[in-house]
């Protein structure tokens, strides 16, 4: 299913993942109603979520390549297995969001709130998370190669088996952080 944006809205199409994978197993799909609401733009989305109280948006498996979602309130959203490569999520509220298995290669998450987010096994290669709040975020197994974490807050984050090779950690808050299982530490830029 493809939902294209009307003129004056997002210039990129939303593409939903197939409901059956190559092995013939059922996969979770994004909620078409949530995608349609987000397609109307960040201002409309934020107004809708404010009026509708606590929502748990499901964008699992959706394609948000190069989409501008800056300043969006996407707290608690499910982005599992979604593709957000090159997406602009600057200052977005992504607290408690689930990104397990998502691709965020080259994404812009500057000053985003990712507190308590599940980013396990996420590809963040060459992404910008400068100034982002990653307090208590789960980054287990995440690929953080060439990721800019300058000024980010990683207080109590979980980084087991994550790859930090060539990541930038200038002025990064690493309070109460266990890096013993992280890899690539010898090539971190600080």
């Amino acid at each position: 299913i493809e939902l294209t944006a009307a003129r004056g809205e997002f210039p990129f199409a939303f593409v939903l993942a197939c409901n059956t994978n190559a092995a013939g197993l059922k996969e979770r799909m994004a909620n078409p109603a949530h995608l349609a609401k987000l397609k109307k733009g960040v201002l409309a989305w934020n107004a809708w979520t404010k009026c509708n109280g606590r929502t748990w948006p499901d964008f699992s498996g959706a394609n948000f390549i190069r989409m501008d979602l800056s300043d969006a309130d996407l707290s608690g959203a499910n982005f599992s297995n979604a593709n957000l490569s090159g997406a602009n999520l600057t200052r977005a509220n992504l607290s408690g969001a689930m990104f397990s298995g998502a691709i965020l290669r080259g994404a812009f998450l500057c000053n985003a709130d990712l507190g308590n987010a599940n980013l396990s096994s996420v590809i963040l290669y060459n992404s910008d998370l400068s100034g982002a709040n990653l307090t208590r975020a789960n980054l287990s197994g995440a690929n953080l190669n060439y990721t800019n974490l300058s000024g980010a807050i990683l207080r109590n984050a979980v980084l087991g088996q994550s790859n930090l090779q060539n990541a930038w950690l200038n002025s990064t808050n690493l309070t109460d952080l266990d890096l013993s299982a992280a890899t690539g530490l010898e090539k971190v830029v600080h």
Side-chain angles (χ1 to χ4, degrees):
I1 299 172
E2 186 172 316
L3 301 171
T4 56
R7 196 169 142 195
E9 296 174 349
F10 291 122
F12 301 101
F14 292 97
V15 180
L16 300 182
C18 296
N19 62 352
T20 306
N21 66 17
L25 301 173
K26 294 281 184 185
E27 291 182 336
R28 188 177 177 107
M29 290 179 57
N31 183 321
H34 294 161
L35 287 172
K37 291 288 183 191
L38 188 56
K39 182 184 88 160
K40 293 179 180 178
V42 169
L43 292 176
W45 172 263
N46 287 347
W48 179 79
T49 57
K50 188 174 184 179
C51 290
N52 287 288
R54 185 73 188 108
T55 57
W56 301 103
D58 187 354
F59 301 119
S60 55
N63 184 350
F64 295 99
I65 294 173
R66 295 183 305 278
M67 187 161 291
D68 185 7
L69 298 170
S70 55
D71 299 304
D73 182 358
L74 298 162
S75 57
N78 181 359
F79 288 100
S80 296
N81 301 310
N83 190 342
L84 294 113
S85 295
N88 183 359
L89 293 153
T90 300
R91 295 176 309 278
N93 180 357
L94 300 160
S95 59
M98 182 183 298
F99 290 92
S100 197
I103 301 169
L104 289 116
R105 181 176 310 218
F108 300 93
L109 294 133
C110 307
N111 300 305
D113 184 357
L114 289 150
N116 295 304
N118 182 350
L119 295 148
S120 61
S121 302
V122 167
I123 298 171
L124 283 157
Y125 180 89
N126 201 32
S127 292
D128 190 348
L129 284 104
S130 57
N133 175 21
L134 292 149
T135 302
R136 291 182 299 282
N138 180 359
L139 291 148
S140 299
N143 180 347
L144 297 160
N145 273 352
Y146 294 97
T147 297
N148 184 357
L149 291 161
S150 298
I153 302 167
L154 288 152
R155 185 178 301 125
N156 291 311
V158 178
L159 287 163
Q161 302 302 314
S162 30
N163 186 346
L164 289 160
Q165 188 171 353
N166 298 306
W168 293 285
L169 298 175
N170 300 320
S171 302
T172 303
N173 183 334
L174 304 173
T175 305
D176 297 322
L177 187 65
D178 181 4
L179 293 169
S180 62
T183 63
L185 295 174
E186 66 282 354
K187 294 201 175 185
V188 164
V189 179
H190 53 91

